Amino acid sequence: MAFNKINAELLAAITNIVGEDAILSTPAAIADYSHDETEDLVYYPEVVAKPKDTAEVAALMRFCNQNLIPVTPRGAGTGLAGGALAIHGGLMISMERFNQILEIDELNLQATVEPGVITEIFMNAVAEKGLLYPVDPASKGSCFIGGNVANCSGGPRVVKYGTIREYVLNMEVVLPTGEVIWTGANTLKYASGYNLTQLLIGSEGTLGIVTKIVTKLIPKPTLDALMLASFNSNEDACAAVSAIFRAGVVPSALEFMERKGIEWVIEHDGLAFDLQDGAEAFLLIEADGTNQDVIFADCEKINEVLEAHNCRDVLFADTSAQKEEIWRIRRTMAVSVKSNSIYKEEDTVVPRAALPKLINGIKEIGSRYGFASVCYGHCGDGNLHVNIIKAGMSDEDWNNKLKDGITEIFELTVSLGGTISGEHGIGVVQKEFMPLKYTPVHFAIWKGIKAVFDPNGILNPGKIF
Amino acid sequence: MAFNKINAELLAAITNIVGEDAILSTPAAIADYSHDETEDLVYYPEVVAKPKDTAEVAALMRFCNQNLIPVTPRGAGTGLAGGALAIHGGLMISMERFNQILEIDELNLQATVEPGVITEIFMNAVAEKGLLYPVDPASKGSCFIGGNVANCSGGPRVVKYGTIREYVLNMEVVLPTGEVIWTGANTLKYASGYNLTQLLIGSEGTLGIVTKIVTKLIPKPTLDALMLASFNSNEDACAAVSAIFRAGVVPSALEFMERKGIEWVIEHDGLAFDLQDGAEAFLLIEADGTNQDVIFADCEKINEVLEAHNCRDVLFADTSAQKEEIWRIRRTMAVSVKSNSIYKEEDTVVPRAALPKLINGIKEIGSRYGFASVCYGHCGDGNLHVNIIKAGMSDEDWNNKLKDGITEIFELTVSLGGTISGEHGIGVVQKEFMPLKYTPVHFAIWKGIKAVFDPNGILNPGKIF
């Protein structure tokens, strides 16, 4: 399908839909929308529109569909796979004005929110009512909940509370044809036809633009405890992970961090944190609940497991400030690593007991290709973010040979029962690796589904496959 | 698409795939496969095949696809919407020989099972290892886990633990073309293309035949407490439901039962259970966990809510035997009601705070149409099973006017934010009501997706839409 460029006449029609104040069309004005948080990628859309309501999104989609203008939906631009980049130019639809929490329904423990609400603002709003919306990616302070839906976002609490997939009940969606549907019902159970809510979650804005989201909420745990355990090796730390669950405990967070990652956070943030000599790997472990005795008992069981796995030392955070400091180390790790080196980030995910093999394999591959790596992530879910660091690699090798190394990492991931991305999505940067896991039959089905929703292929083209 | 009948030549080819011992082709032999647990429906497939492995299922599908023979996949035949009935004749593929638990992976807390494993057998097998697979429909002693996947089954523990959707990680599926794929990866997180696992769950055997299922498992709670609360009215009981969650408690089961349902269980099962005079509605409430103090505290909070909602009396089950008796009342209710009267069962689901309006509305509609009803179900999820009882309704009205009454029930359900089925599926009996909730756009998308998987429309034709 050949797309059309947005000429003056088409721009005038688009402007007419949303109003002049809601249009950006000069490169200077558009610059902020030309990249996300993915390394090195810059693509300018021709025009950015900021519709204010569903009717305007529908009118824009209808118009672009009729005129074969590619449309890229845009949340907060915090994505890590280039999913919100206008790689074919065209119109970017920024959802930033969809920033209202429409309802927090305390009787049903449900909320209705617009997709441009910042995740943390939503979390805080429901927390004020004693409720929990637990899907908190590291970017929660800036990402939009609509982007979380698009990428099937997770974050550290997935290990106990599940991904966003388990919280979204129903969505209002504008289809590429401009038609508007609700995907399901505002119910906790649903067995009424193919589940379009679940199909849309994680579809990276390629099947429709979400304009309203109905989420489930749960009672908020009132107490938590936080531990930071240090180990002599990555392998010891990773091996402890599956043993914690086997001991009957489901922590509310279980995060892995390599020493190097913490060192860079200390350097980047000027943090006064005592990194013990020889400690190579760390587990951040949180237990939450409503009863202090239970939390203590969970911590004791966890501690026993840690000791049985050659743990060096366990720090129990005593104060809110200390908890906050430890969480800050984990949450700022991506930014710190990024600021220290040219890098590429992969979002490997495997069954959790395979983590030791995965991390050892990554180091071994790195040693053969000459790259370093800093690994951290949601080890309780088997989800390891691999930051590949240029280190001593030559520019030529970085540009030409690294891809083979990444291919080996994903081959290993797949051989361990895992897949290409756990929570960042495929976007534009990972799609070349998808055939390592998926067959032509998968691609045919995905493309077939795409064509059902988007016969002209205008919506977020070039993503996933 | 005109289907072909299975003539002698086609039967010979089918027999050749699975062997003569695995073929049933006389009406007497097929009788058990001509109905499920849905009221009044009988459809004979022409032939029943019982393949032993994935390769045989694939060969059968390929053959039927090439020869335009309709295929109906069959689990245990416990469905309540006619989803496993061969309404177009053709070949029924019974999955009864897929009855092996292939692996219980205690390190990853995952299991791999075949779809013909009886749900309770699977639950018991993992429980022996201290693990929980919590998806236990009332039919758990006879239904297959494959049928549970097809219908997105729930059961009483959904309220705390979620539906089967939250436990299935990956599936091996034979597509209508005979191709075999794994839908995803054995991982707790997944952001790698459209989620085919989630799309297949609840698709009622219309997109593919599941041949292996990888499930998540969780640590098994070691303790529980069970309460049975009685109320003067359905409305009081239902109003208490949402208040329990608002008090910060998530029970592991929260079931509603009308007096009439319990009376019929007592009559049918000869149970010596003291039904208090004047008690019209009951809530069965279970709290589970690993700490007795927490469970007691939860029960106290629940008790306070019950008292604030005009509860008459709360029975705490003291012994395992007493717990078992109370659960037996709930679990045998469907069978007891069925044995007492001509009936039709609907599977309404609404946001839980809408339950009082739903149940009052159902009674009001019944009074206008002349039917009685016995309601019970998973009120913690807003999921109410409505058993419509013929009572004094004339045969003519039952046959001709009842549909209007059911339409009104579903119109009410939809107006309250709910949908046609929470966990029984649409199958053949509910599909006429789907337009009450869904638009032509939904139907077009569903049919489009169906055509992607099943271009010849051979797999479970005539179901859902």
Side-chain angles (χ1 to χ4, degrees):
Chain A
M1 190 79 61
F3 294 123
N4 288 317
K5 291 282 166 202
I6 303 178
N7 60 23
E9 188 190 344
L10 294 171
L11 177 58
I14 289 170
T15 305
N16 200 35
I17 292 170
V18 293
E20 208 155 330
D21 292 351
I23 289 288
L24 307 174
S25 59
T26 66
I30 288 175
D32 282 350
Y33 298 85
S34 69
H35 61 86
D36 60 4
E37 296 294 327
T38 316
E39 55 276 6
D40 303 335
L41 299 179
V42 177
Y43 292 95
Y44 277 74
E46 295 157 56
V47 175
V48 175
K50 304 178 185 179
K52 70 174 185 301
D53 58 25
T54 303
E56 287 188 359
V57 175
L60 288 170
M61 290 277 260
R62 211 158 33 234
F63 182 80
C64 290
N65 190 45
Q66 283 161 356
N67 292 282
L68 297 183
I69 299 167
V71 173
T72 306
R74 175 90 173 182
T78 58
L80 295 167
L85 298 181
I87 63 173
H88 288 275
L91 180 69
M92 177 166 281
I93 296 184
S94 169
M95 299 302 284
E96 63 198 80
R97 291 169 73 195
F98 283 73
N99 60 1
Q100 297 300 306
I101 298 171
L102 299 175
E103 186 187 14
I104 297 173
D105 174 352
E106 295 186 63
L107 272 175
N108 285 305
L109 300 200
Q110 295 183 0
T112 305
V113 313
E114 292 188 321
V117 172
I118 289 174
T119 303
E120 191 168 28
I121 289 178
F122 178 54
M123 296 180 76
N124 291 343
V126 305
E128 272 179 29
K129 298 180 187 296
L131 299 173
L132 178 67
Y133 171 78
V135 187
D136 59 341
S139 56
K140 67 177 178 180
S142 54
C143 63
F144 289 172
I145 191 168
N148 298 166
V149 169
N151 290 292
C152 193
S153 290
R157 264 76 185 214
V158 170
V159 66
K160 178 169 180 179
Y161 293 106
T163 69
I164 197 166
R165 194 174 284 293
E166 296 177 29
Y167 292 87
V168 175
L169 302 177
N170 197 4
M171 299 191 285
E172 184 189 68
V173 175
V174 178
L175 301 177
T177 51
E179 289 160 311
V180 180
I181 62 167
W182 280 92
T183 52
N186 297 358
T187 55
L188 296 166
K189 280 174 165 173
Y190 189 84
S192 304
Y194 304 152
N195 195 310
L196 301 182
T197 310
Q198 292 296 326
L199 179 60
L200 268 285
I201 295 169
S203 65
E204 304 193 29
T206 64
L207 300 180
I209 296 185
V210 174
T211 47
K212 290 192 186 76
I213 302 162
V214 180
T215 74
K216 176 172 94 171
L217 303 171
I218 54 178
K220 192 176 186 321
T222 46
L223 302 166
D224 59 57
L226 189 64
M227 309 157 71
L228 188 68
S230 58
F231 294 82
N232 288 326
S233 74
N234 291 333
E235 194 175 351
D236 280 347
C238 287
V241 170
S242 68
I244 289 172
F245 297 87
R246 200 61 197 91
V249 182
V250 179
S252 52
L254 180 40
E255 300 284 311
F256 170 82
M257 297 180 284
E258 270 195 280
R259 178 186 186 89
K260 182 54 102 183
I262 300 184
E263 282 176 359
W264 283 3
V265 171
I266 290 172
E267 192 183 319
H268 182 258
D269 275 24
L271 211 66
F273 184 81
D274 177 28
L275 258 183
Q276 312 148 44
D277 280 352
E280 288 302 320
F282 295 79
L283 293 180
L284 175 164
I285 311 167
E286 185 190 81
D288 73 2
T290 54
N291 180 293
Q292 200 60 267
D293 294 340
V294 175
I295 293 177
F296 283 150
D298 282 350
C299 290
E300 265 173 43
K301 277 192 216 163
I302 292 168
N303 204 40
E304 282 169 27
V305 172
L306 296 173
E307 283 178 2
H309 285 79
N310 308 318
C311 175
R312 293 167 57 96
D313 185 57
V314 179
L315 168 72
F316 283 86
D318 285 324
T319 62
S320 304
Q322 207 173 6
K323 288 177 188 172
E324 189 44 50
E325 183 181 65
I326 292 172
W327 269 116
R328 187 171 142 215
I329 293 172
R330 171 61 189 87
R331 289 200 182 275
T332 57
M333 191 156 286
V335 175
S336 302
V337 170
K338 197 169 174 174
S339 70
N340 264 277
S341 169
I342 291 176
Y343 81 109
K344 271 193 200 297
E345 181 166 356
E346 310 303 337
D347 176 37
T348 57
V349 61
V350 295
R352 64 170 85 97
L355 280 172
K357 281 186 186 164
L358 178 64
I359 198 158
N360 284 344
I362 289 165
K363 300 299 174 186
E364 186 275 325
I365 294 165
S367 72
R368 278 192 284 112
Y369 284 85
F371 60 77
S373 59
V374 177
C375 298
Y376 57 87
H378 316 298
C379 56
D381 312 313
N383 185 199
L384 198 68
H385 301 319
V386 183
N387 280 255
I388 298 171
I389 308 295
K390 189 162 175 279
M393 218 177 187
S394 70
D395 287 354
E396 199 196 316
D397 283 358
W398 182 258
N399 292 326
N400 301 320
K401 289 200 185 150
L402 180 59
K403 191 192 149 186
D404 296 339
I406 295 173
T407 299
E408 286 202 40
I409 290 174
F410 282 131
E411 282 170 347
L412 173 64
T413 305
V414 169
S415 76
L416 295 170
T419 188
I420 311 297
S421 175
E423 58 175 20
H424 293 173
I426 301 306
V428 61
V429 296
Q430 306 301 6
K431 67 181 180 171
E432 65 182 320
F433 302 106
M434 290 289 272
L436 297 174
K437 165 82 182 165
Y438 301 99
T439 68
V441 179
H442 291 97
F443 284 89
I445 293 173
W446 290 336
K447 288 176 181 173
I449 291 171
K450 169 71 173 168
V452 168
F453 282 81
D454 187 10
N456 293 336
I458 60 152
L459 188 59
N460 216 1
K463 306 297 163 61
I464 307 180
F465 44 74
Chain B
M1 190 79 63
F3 295 123
N4 288 318
K5 290 283 164 201
I6 303 178
N7 60 23
E9 187 190 343
L10 294 171
L11 177 58
I14 289 170
T15 305
N16 199 38
I17 293 169
V18 293
E20 208 154 332
D21 292 350
I23 288 287
L24 306 175
S25 59
T26 65
I30 289 175
D32 283 350
Y33 299 84
S34 68
H35 60 86
D36 60 5
E37 295 294 327
T38 315
E39 56 277 6
D40 303 334
L41 299 179
V42 176
Y43 293 95
Y44 276 75
E46 295 158 56
V47 175
V48 175
K50 303 177 185 180
K52 71 173 184 303
D53 58 24
T54 303
E56 287 188 359
V57 176
L60 288 171
M61 290 277 259
R62 209 157 37 234
F63 182 80
C64 290
N65 189 46
Q66 283 161 356
N67 291 281
L68 297 182
I69 298 167
V71 173
T72 306
R74 175 89 172 183
T78 58
L80 295 167
L85 297 181
I87 62 173
H88 289 274
L91 179 69
M92 178 168 279
I93 297 185
S94 169
M95 299 303 284
E96 64 198 78
R97 291 169 74 195
F98 283 72
N99 60 2
Q100 297 300 305
I101 298 170
L102 301 174
E103 187 188 13
I104 297 173
D105 174 353
E106 295 185 63
L107 272 175
N108 285 305
L109 301 200
Q110 295 182 2
T112 305
V113 321
E114 291 187 323
V117 172
I118 290 174
T119 303
E120 190 168 30
I121 289 177
F122 178 53
M123 296 181 76
N124 291 342
V126 305
E128 271 179 29
K129 297 179 187 295
L131 299 173
L132 178 67
Y133 170 78
V135 187
D136 59 341
S139 57
K140 66 178 179 180
S142 53
C143 63
F144 289 172
I145 192 169
N148 299 165
V149 168
N151 290 291
C152 192
S153 289
R157 264 78 183 213
V158 169
V159 65
K160 178 168 179 179
Y161 293 106
T163 69
I164 197 167
R165 193 174 285 293
E166 296 177 27
Y167 292 87
V168 175
L169 302 177
N170 197 4
M171 300 190 285
E172 184 189 69
V173 175
V174 178
L175 301 178
T177 52
E179 290 160 310
V180 180
I181 62 168
W182 280 91
T183 52
N186 297 357
T187 55
L188 296 166
K189 279 174 166 174
Y190 189 85
S192 304
Y194 303 152
N195 196 309
L196 301 183
T197 310
Q198 292 296 325
L199 180 59
L200 268 285
I201 295 170
S203 65
E204 304 193 29
T206 63
L207 300 179
I209 296 185
V210 174
T211 47
K212 288 192 188 76
I213 302 162
V214 180
T215 73
K216 176 172 93 171
L217 303 170
I218 54 178
K220 192 174 187 322
T222 47
L223 302 166
D224 61 56
L226 189 64
M227 309 156 72
L228 187 68
S230 57
F231 294 83
N232 288 326
S233 74
N234 291 332
E235 193 173 354
D236 280 347
C238 288
V241 170
S242 68
I244 288 171
F245 297 87
R246 200 62 197 89
V249 181
V250 179
S252 54
L254 179 40
E255 299 284 312
F256 170 82
M257 297 180 281
E258 271 195 278
R259 179 187 186 88
K260 183 54 103 181
I262 300 184
E263 283 177 359
W264 283 4
V265 171
I266 291 171
E267 192 183 319
H268 183 257
D269 275 24
L271 211 68
F273 185 81
D274 178 27
L275 257 183
Q276 311 147 46
D277 281 349
E280 288 302 321
F282 295 79
L283 294 180
L284 176 165
I285 312 166
E286 185 190 80
D288 73 3
T290 54
N291 179 292
Q292 201 57 267
D293 294 341
V294 174
I295 293 177
F296 282 152
D298 282 351
C299 290
E300 264 173 44
K301 276 192 217 163
I302 292 168
N303 204 39
E304 282 169 27
V305 172
L306 296 173
E307 281 178 4
H309 285 79
N310 308 318
C311 174
R312 293 168 56 98
D313 186 57
V314 180
L315 168 72
F316 283 85
D318 285 325
T319 63
S320 304
Q322 206 172 8
K323 288 177 188 172
E324 190 43 53
E325 183 182 63
I326 291 171
W327 269 115
R328 187 170 142 216
I329 293 173
R330 171 61 190 88
R331 288 199 183 276
T332 58
M333 192 157 287
V335 175
S336 302
V337 170
K338 196 170 173 171
S339 70
N340 263 279
S341 169
I342 292 176
Y343 80 109
K344 273 192 197 299
E345 182 167 356
E346 311 302 337
D347 177 38
T348 57
V349 60
V350 294
R352 66 169 83 95
L355 280 172
K357 281 185 187 165
L358 178 64
I359 198 159
N360 284 343
I362 289 165
K363 298 300 175 185
E364 187 275 326
I365 294 165
S367 72
R368 278 192 284 113
Y369 282 86
F371 60 78
S373 59
V374 177
C375 297
Y376 56 87
H378 317 299
C379 57
D381 312 313
N383 185 198
L384 198 66
H385 300 320
V386 183
N387 280 256
I388 297 171
I389 308 297
K390 188 162 176 278
M393 220 178 184
S394 69
D395 287 356
E396 199 196 316
D397 283 359
W398 182 258
N399 292 327
N400 300 319
K401 289 200 185 150
L402 180 59
K403 192 191 149 187
D404 295 339
I406 296 173
T407 300
E408 286 201 41
I409 290 174
F410 282 132
E411 282 171 345
L412 174 64
T413 305
V414 170
S415 76
L416 294 170
T419 188
I420 311 296
S421 175
E423 58 176 19
H424 292 174
I426 301 305
V428 63
V429 295
Q430 307 301 5
K431 68 181 180 170
E432 64 182 322
F433 302 106
M434 290 289 273
L436 298 174
K437 166 80 182 164
Y438 301 99
T439 67
V441 178
H442 292 96
F443 284 90
I445 293 173
W446 290 335
K447 288 177 181 174
I449 291 170
K450 169 70 172 169
V452 168
F453 283 81
D454 186 11
N456 293 336
I458 60 150
L459 188 59
N460 216 2
K463 305 298 163 61
I464 307 179
F465 43 75

